[in-house]
Amino acid sequence: MLEARGAVRRLKEYHPPLGGRLGLRLDFNENTVGCSPRVLERLRQLQFDQLARYPERESVEHQVASHFGVDPAGMLLTNGVDEGIHLICETYLESGDEVLIVVPTFSMYEIYAGATGAQVITIPTGTDFSYPTEHLLSRLSPRTRLIAIANPNNPTGAVVSRSDLWRILRAAPDAAVLIDEAYFDFYGESMMAEVASLPNLFVARTFSKAYGLAGLRIGVLAGNTGQMAMVRRVSSPYNVNAVALACLPDALADQDYIRQYVSEVRQGRERLEQELHALKLHFWPSQANFVLGKIGERHDAFVRAMRERGILVRDRSRDPGCEGCVRISVGANAQTERLIAVLREVVRALAPAGATA
Ligand SMILES: Cc1ncc(COP(=O)(O)O)c(C=O)c1O
């Protein structure tokens, strides 16, 4: 009987709750108001010919490389950051290699790395979710071939300092160090400028979050040109679809739109953190477009009560170290106002009789 590889059989199934997402979507860290109107205009102008042909990535790749200030030979457009992670794993990992990830973090590192047969070593963060750099360094071995770091991290919103990233990069010259900057726009610090000079550094960015293009599946993987030549060998020449390629230059050109959205998200994040504090709910300060809050034993009921009132949030209580935690994405100002009103109501409704929030 046909059997999948052992490494694949050992993978845990991952089914994010994508079904029936009606309401204000504060559950997947997406843009909540949509992409730039320029992108929608471009979509309306698409001609059949653009769909009939195989997509041609190169010219758009050059425009995107110039936007990010990197050598086009050191940058690849990808089918979202997910594909960038997959390509790194396919390029560098063999069965028996070691991969270091600090948990809780984004699930796809463990899945793609595990599928190669590499051994994924998970290192827990402290209770404050700060990055355990010393612990990570102590786990380096001659077999370490990949270190994946979400910066800011999902689901915690915590960040790793530039000096710690440098320490890791220097200490592991034979490992690919992937800095996943999916939430860069809400944070502002990046390692993108260093990719040319550090041969083991890779930086991933996405257009799924601030740019509002999660459905188009488009991201960027940047690295040293020699390394990226290897990564290109395992990538399909048609990995990014024609619609995404047609829209991306317009999305990048409308930086006013991104600035406005990001500014509202940052204000909203502060408002939400203040509100959680006022409601006496523990939370971890975030540099991304979401906040992780500790709801406690009633996390299930909380998520349900929010949903009943039209707001979707994500239960993260099964993530390591996140017992009782719920992640709440932040959107535009009016949505934050609505979120806060509903949050107050739900906390009041779930409080034990006689208690005041
Ligand atoms: C840290 C991190 N990286 C990558 C992704 C996925 O990005 P993309 O939609 O570009 O595949 C996510 C999505 O939630 C994320 O949180």
Side-chain angles (χ1 to χ4, degrees):
M1 197 186 89
L2 177 66
E3 275 205 330
R5 288 187 290 113
V8 175
R9 293 199 307 273
R10 284 189 293 277
L11 289 180
K12 280 181 260 169
E13 286 191 30
Y14 177 52
H15 293 298
L18 285 164
R21 294 177 63 218
L22 296 172
L24 176 54
R25 294 174 284 100
L26 302 182
D27 50 349
F28 274 77
N29 307 336
E30 297 154 334
N31 176 310
T32 54
V33 294
C35 59
S36 154
R38 288 181 59 164
V39 171
L40 297 177
E41 192 48 40
R42 175 67 55 192
L43 279 173
R44 282 186 207 104
Q45 289 166 8
L46 279 180
Q47 299 293 321
F48 72 89
D49 197 39
Q50 282 165 281
L51 301 184
R53 289 165 189 257
Y54 279 102
E56 198 250 300
R57 204 174 51 198
E58 201 174 306
S59 66
V60 180
E61 215 155 60
H62 278 68
Q63 292 177 50
V64 179
S66 135
H67 175 87
F68 286 122
V70 297
D71 184 336
M75 206 210 75
L76 179 70
L77 289 175
T78 58
N79 198 272
V81 168
D82 279 2
E83 193 203 11
I85 302 164
H86 200 180
L87 291 174
I88 292 279
C89 292
E90 289 300 310
T91 308
Y92 296 102
L93 297 180
E94 275 174 325
S95 181
D97 286 341
E98 290 177 2
V99 175
L100 300 183
I101 56 173
V102 168
V103 292
T105 193
F106 183 52
S107 308
M108 297 315 291
Y109 310 133
E110 194 164 350
I111 293 172
Y112 287 137
T116 67
Q119 190 197 346
V120 179
I121 299 174
T122 55
I123 298 165
T125 53
T127 46
D128 62 352
F129 292 134
S130 61
Y131 203 77
T133 305
E134 297 301 333
H135 189 173
L136 180 114
L137 293 174
S138 77
R139 298 301 301 268
L140 286 176
S141 88
R143 310 213 69 159
T144 310
R145 295 276 287 154
L146 171 64
I147 302 166
I149 304 171
N151 200 35
N153 191 25
N154 174 16
T156 63
V159 294
V160 190
S161 71
R162 180 178 289 274
S163 61
D164 278 14
L165 293 177
W166 270 96
R167 283 181 68 198
I168 295 164
L169 281 152
R170 286 208 192 93
D174 299 329
V177 179
L178 173 64
I179 314 292
D180 176 348
E181 297 185 350
Y183 301 99
F184 159 79
D185 300 277
F186 310 103
Y187 174 40
E189 288 271 334
S190 175
M191 292 292 279
M192 190 65 100
E194 273 91 333
V195 288
S197 51
L198 286 164
N200 60 335
L201 168 65
F202 295 87
V203 173
R205 292 273 185 90
T206 186
F207 297 97
S208 298
K209 306 297 179 187
Y211 285 78
L213 300 176
L216 277 188
R217 308 305 301 133
I218 183 128
V220 161
L221 182 67
N224 168 278
T225 53
Q227 300 295 349
M228 289 305 294
M230 293 293 124
V231 174
R232 278 175 193 275
R233 290 191 186 187
V234 291
S235 146
S236 158
Y238 318 121
N239 63 336
V240 175
N241 70 77
V243 180
L245 289 175
C247 293
L248 191 53
D250 292 287
L252 277 176
D254 199 352
Q255 286 299 312
D256 283 347
Y257 189 82
I258 301 300
R259 262 192 296 276
Q260 175 60 32
Y261 183 68
V262 167
S263 143
E264 293 198 24
V265 168
R266 287 182 165 195
Q267 287 167 38
R269 183 172 73 195
E270 204 178 319
R271 282 275 284 124
L272 174 58
E273 290 179 348
Q274 283 166 357
E275 190 62 30
L276 290 168
H277 178 75
L279 291 169
K280 300 189 172 52
L281 290 171
H282 187 74
F283 67 91
W284 289 268
S286 168
Q287 296 292 334
N289 64 339
F290 54 82
V291 178
L292 187 71
K294 183 138 188 144
I295 304 301
E297 279 174 6
R298 306 201 68 191
H299 55 94
D300 264 345
F302 175 86
V303 172
R304 236 179 300 120
M306 294 290 287
R307 180 185 280 265
E308 279 159 15
R309 290 161 177 82
I311 298 189
L312 310 178
V313 295
R314 185 89 174 263
D315 195 331
R316 302 279 12 168
S317 53
R318 290 214 190 96
D319 288 41
C322 295
E323 294 75 25
C325 289
V326 172
R327 191 190 65 198
I328 305 173
S329 309
V330 180
N333 285 337
Q335 295 169 329
T336 302
E337 291 313 315
R338 187 174 148 209
L339 165 67
I340 283 172
V342 170
L343 188 62
R344 285 181 186 160
E345 193 183 310
V346 166
V347 169
R348 215 178 304 122
L350 293 184
T356 48

